């Protein structure tokens, strides 16, 4: 009886060891397949970029009745000329390119500093594709709305498709990124039912929400040993 008890005890211990080893292997595989080099500071900087771009758009295009230091009667977003539409597209494209360069450069620096994976492999291409597909569709949709004179929903479309892009690529990096996507989608839905507050939601979604999420992200994920 004693030998049987010892035998079952050893078998049970072996099972626990195997399960523990499997858990460790799973965690290592998840960690190695996840793109961890995104920096929380870069997310904050992107939010600052968006805040500055929103203020610049207020001066160029109007729609700034929510700002205390501008005339309250300037509440309409003026996109009624080809020149203004061109400025709006240039501003949005410039913000995207500057943000992409900042995130990439800081991700590369973080990867070097913490010896993380940063290479153009299949996983990174999959993440880029899943992020850029909904973002590109949203950009084309916004351009179509602008060229046809439907200005009212452009800001909400930007927020919605950007949020979908973040949720769509969160499987390839930290899953917490989806919460930023959910916030963008929520603001985009609210913006659909709002009038004359396009730049305010743009400021909140791409600016303030990025800064707040970037701070939390940096505190949780940037402290890698």
């Amino acid at each position: 009886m004693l030998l049987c008890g010892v035998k079952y005890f050893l078998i049970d211990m072996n099972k626990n060891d195997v399960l523990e080893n499997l858990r460790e292997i799973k965690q290592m595989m998840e960690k190695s397949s996840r793109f961890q080099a995104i920096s929380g500071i870069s997310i904050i900087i992107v939010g600052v970029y968006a805040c500055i771009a929103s203020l610049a758009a207020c001066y160029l295009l109007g729609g700034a009745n929510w700002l205390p230091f501008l005339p309250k009667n300037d509440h309409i977003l003026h996109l009624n000329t080809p020149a203004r539409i061109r400025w709006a597209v240039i501003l949005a494209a410039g913000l995207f390119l500057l943000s992409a360069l900042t995130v990439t450069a800081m991700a590369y620096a973080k990867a070097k500093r913490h010896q993380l994976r940063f290479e153009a492999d299949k996983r990174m291409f999959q993440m880029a594709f899943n992020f850029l597909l909904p973002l590109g569709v949203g950009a084309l949709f916004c351009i179509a709305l602008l060229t046809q004179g439907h200005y009212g929903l452009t800001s909400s479309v930007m927020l919605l498709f950007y949020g979908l892009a973040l949720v769509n690529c969160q499987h390839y990096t930290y899953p917490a990124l989806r919460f930023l996507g959910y916030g963008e989608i929520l603001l985009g839905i609210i913006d659909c039912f709002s009038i004359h507050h396009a730049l305010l939601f743009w400021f909140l979604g791409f600016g303030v929400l990025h800064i707040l999420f970037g701070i939390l992200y940096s505190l949780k994920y940037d402290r890698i040993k």
Side-chain angles (χ1 to χ4, degrees):
M1 290 293 293
L2 180 61
L3 291 174
C4 290
V6 171
K7 178 181 179 181
Y8 285 122
F9 177 74
L10 292 174
I11 292 173
D12 188 58
M13 283 188 63
N14 289 334
K15 287 182 179 179
N16 291 335
D17 291 340
V18 170
L19 290 175
E20 184 65 27
N21 290 334
L22 288 174
R23 278 193 292 266
E24 290 178 359
I25 292 172
K26 182 181 178 181
Q27 290 175 358
M28 290 175 63
M29 290 178 65
E30 289 177 349
K31 186 175 180 180
S32 64
S33 64
R34 181 186 299 158
F35 185 74
Q36 304 176 80
I38 296 176
S39 170
I41 303 299
S42 68
I43 299 175
I44 297 172
I45 293 174
V46 168
V48 174
Y49 289 161
C51 289
I52 295 173
S54 299
L55 297 177
C58 289
Y59 283 102
L60 291 171
L61 306 173
N65 62 320
W66 50 279
L67 290 173
F69 49 84
L70 288 182
K72 293 298 181 183
N73 59 351
D74 190 15
H75 64 281
I76 298 174
L77 188 61
H78 301 291
L79 287 170
N80 51 355
T81 65
R84 290 181 180 274
I85 293 175
R86 191 160 50 246
W87 272 112
V89 172
I90 290 173
L91 190 63
L95 176 63
F96 173 76
L97 290 175
L98 181 61
S99 300
L101 289 173
T102 300
V103 171
T104 303
M106 297 192 70
Y108 179 78
K110 179 181 176 182
K112 287 293 184 181
R113 188 167 60 250
H114 296 291
Q115 297 182 338
L116 299 174
R117 181 177 58 86
F118 190 92
E119 55 186 14
D121 57 4
K122 181 180 177 181
R123 190 78 176 178
M124 184 177 289
F125 282 120
Q126 287 176 334
M127 184 182 71
F129 177 79
N130 280 271
F131 178 72
L132 293 176
L133 179 62
L135 201 66
V137 172
L140 292 174
F141 188 27
C142 285
I143 292 173
L145 289 174
L146 289 173
T147 54
Q148 296 181 35
H150 304 296
Y151 313 128
L153 292 176
T154 50
S155 62
S156 57
V157 168
M158 289 181 185
L159 290 167
L160 288 170
F161 278 90
Y162 179 61
L164 290 173
L166 291 172
V167 174
N168 203 39
C169 74
Q170 52 97 13
H171 299 290
Y172 302 96
T173 181
Y174 289 112
L177 196 65
R178 72 185 186 274
F179 293 112
L180 177 59
Y182 295 154
E184 302 288 351
I185 292 171
L186 179 60
L187 282 176
I189 292 173
I190 297 173
D191 189 21
C192 289
F193 299 94
S194 179
I195 301 175
H196 303 320
H197 292 92
L199 288 177
L200 172 59
F201 282 96
W202 216 78
F203 179 86
L204 293 175
F206 294 109
V208 175
L209 202 59
H210 262 92
I211 293 172
L212 294 177
F213 178 82
I215 293 172
L216 297 175
Y217 184 98
S218 182
L219 291 175
K220 185 171 183 179
Y221 295 116
D222 279 355
R223 297 179 179 179
I224 299 177
K225 304 298 183 182

